[in-house]
Amino acid sequence: MLKKLLKEKKSLTFIEAHNPLSALIIKNTNYTDDNGCTHKFDGIWSSSLTDSAVKGIPDNETLDINSRLQNIHEIKSLTKMPVIMDADTGGRVEHFVHYVRKMEQVGIDAVIIEDKTGNKRNSLFGTNVKQELADITEFSNKIAKGKAAQQKSRLMIFARLESLIAGYGMEDALERANAYVKAGANGIMIHSCQNTPDEVIDFSQSFRKKYPKLPLICVPTTYSATYHNDLSKAGFNIIIYANHMLRAAYKAMEHVSHEILKYGRSAEVEKDCISIKKVINLIPYTS
Ligand code: SPV
Ligand code: MG
């Protein structure tokens, strides 16, 4: 499904879902522009950050993979949208090969693993915390072993480069991209925590000279002023809004809970909540 979509469209828009209800909202969301063209999300990002945050756990691989897969399984039972799983570092290579089988069973379309090692910290910390990169040969081996463990051809394994996050620079990112593609990665995600897209666009320009067609992915969290169309023109095939459903929901919850205490009733926040009827209608087979 994801492979087919990548062939049909120049670039896809993915957004994070941290539970089945947020996935249902994504599935039902559409926007028709002034030219009558309707826009929908192409797929769902299962984020380590938001899955962990929902459980009150730091984004450092504490949340076990089975809980992550169970969440995706529940999401998958409600929507046929493609799911890309953020599987952090993929764990130890001996474990990753088993995870790949489980991912296939759950019907995940793609998994992204990042080339970090040690205590994995969220990338948006940038160089404010210690971010250690994996040895290139070892990480390439993890990709190769993961690809070899697949029983069906559908699952794509994308390699995520953390060179720009950890301050290792562009040369390092390009060297790693080459090694990971050679090892069998089905695509590359380049991550950045700058507030402009300049470095990911620079990366894309160099990468595209060698790999004109290979899927290239970015996550414009910190360079949020950049339009999807500009990233698409710069060569990105999948653009991921990695945490916005969670951030939106919890901002609303903070506000509503505060206002109920403030007013001593809930009438003032009715306008800020979806109706019970809408909740009921969102859930399939309720009637
Ligand atoms: C996530 O959503 O968990 C990611 C993207 O890995 S980031 O938070 O930017 O590292
Ligand atoms: Mg993550």
Side-chain angles (χ1 to χ4, degrees):
M1 175 103 167
L2 178 59
K3 282 187 179 160
K4 190 163 165 263
L5 270 180
L6 280 164
K7 281 196 188 118
E8 285 167 6
K9 287 175 84 172
K10 188 168 184 289
S11 65
L12 308 175
T13 314
F14 275 59
I15 188 164
E16 161 267 332
H18 47 276
N19 60 19
L21 186 60
S22 54
L24 278 177
I25 293 172
I26 293 164
K27 176 183 163 185
N28 293 332
T29 299
N30 60 69
Y31 163 71
T32 304
D33 66 23
D34 295 343
N35 301 320
C37 178
T38 299
H39 304 259
K40 287 179 76 67
F41 287 105
D42 297 294
I44 287 168
W45 167 244
S46 171
S47 154
S48 69
L49 171 67
T50 65
D51 277 13
S52 303
V54 163
K55 309 249 186 224
I57 290 174
D59 180 19
N60 62 1
E61 300 187 290
T62 301
L63 185 59
D64 72 285
I65 190 111
N66 290 318
S67 308
R68 300 283 316 283
L69 289 170
Q70 174 64 22
N71 192 29
I72 298 173
H73 174 67
E74 287 168 8
I75 288 172
K76 275 271 175 195
S77 66
L78 287 172
T79 162
K80 292 193 168 57
M81 293 176 88
V83 171
I84 301 179
M85 179 181 187
D86 163 13
D88 296 312
T89 65
R92 286 168 45 180
V93 62
E94 297 85 352
H95 299 171
F96 184 57
V97 290
H98 292 282
Y99 300 157
V100 162
R101 301 273 178 94
K102 290 187 177 195
M103 287 166 194
E104 288 192 301
Q105 278 161 16
V106 173
I108 287 166
D109 299 79
V111 56
I112 300 192
I113 55 170
E114 63 192 90
D115 57 359
K116 290 219 197 80
T117 191
N119 181 18
K120 191 227 79 156
R121 309 297 300 275
N122 182 272
S123 303
L124 301 177
F125 284 123
T127 50
N128 292 331
V129 297
K130 187 173 171 209
Q131 306 260 17
E132 233 181 304
L133 294 199
D135 174 79
I136 299 189
T137 312
E138 273 173 29
F139 195 75
S140 302
N141 181 46
K142 197 186 286 187
I143 294 164
K145 290 266 164 56
K147 286 308 297 174
Q150 269 183 241
Q151 298 192 311
K152 302 174 201 142
S153 64
R154 169 182 157 156
L155 180 76
M156 302 174 91
I157 300 183
F158 297 140
R160 163 171 166 177
L161 308 174
E162 292 286 299
S163 308
L164 303 180
I165 295 289
Y168 284 52
M170 193 63 71
E171 291 277 299
D172 184 75
L174 289 163
E175 184 190 347
R176 286 169 179 274
N178 284 328
Y180 303 158
V181 173
K182 223 186 215 169
N186 301 109
I188 293 288
M189 170 181 156
I190 179 73
H191 204 13
S192 163
C193 56
Q194 300 282 305
N195 52 23
T196 73
D198 299 354
E199 63 179 12
V200 296
I201 291 175
D202 281 354
F203 175 87
S204 174
Q205 277 167 357
S206 302
F207 180 82
R208 282 285 171 237
K209 283 185 195 141
K210 200 156 175 193
Y211 307 104
K213 291 245 161 69
L214 204 75
L216 187 59
I217 301 144
C218 68
V219 177
T221 303
T222 53
Y223 44 101
S224 61
T226 314
Y227 289 102
H228 176 105
N229 278 349
D230 293 327
L231 292 167
S232 174
K233 275 186 214 141
F236 288 95
N237 307 102
I238 304 177
I239 294 148
I240 299 175
Y241 296 93
N243 44 51
H244 300 78
M245 297 300 278
L246 178 114
R247 287 165 59 205
Y250 286 80
K251 181 170 185 195
M253 285 192 244
E254 271 185 354
H255 169 72
V256 165
S257 58
H258 180 267
E259 297 297 277
I260 290 173
L261 283 183
K262 177 172 161 189
Y263 289 101
R265 64 176 193 176
S266 59
E268 282 75 11
V269 293
E270 282 300 331
K271 64 180 186 332
D272 301 314
C273 301
I274 60 171
S275 66
I276 298 293
K277 190 166 170 233
K278 195 160 177 197
V279 174
I280 289 168
N281 287 338
L282 257 175
I283 312 299
Y285 310 113
T286 303
S287 69

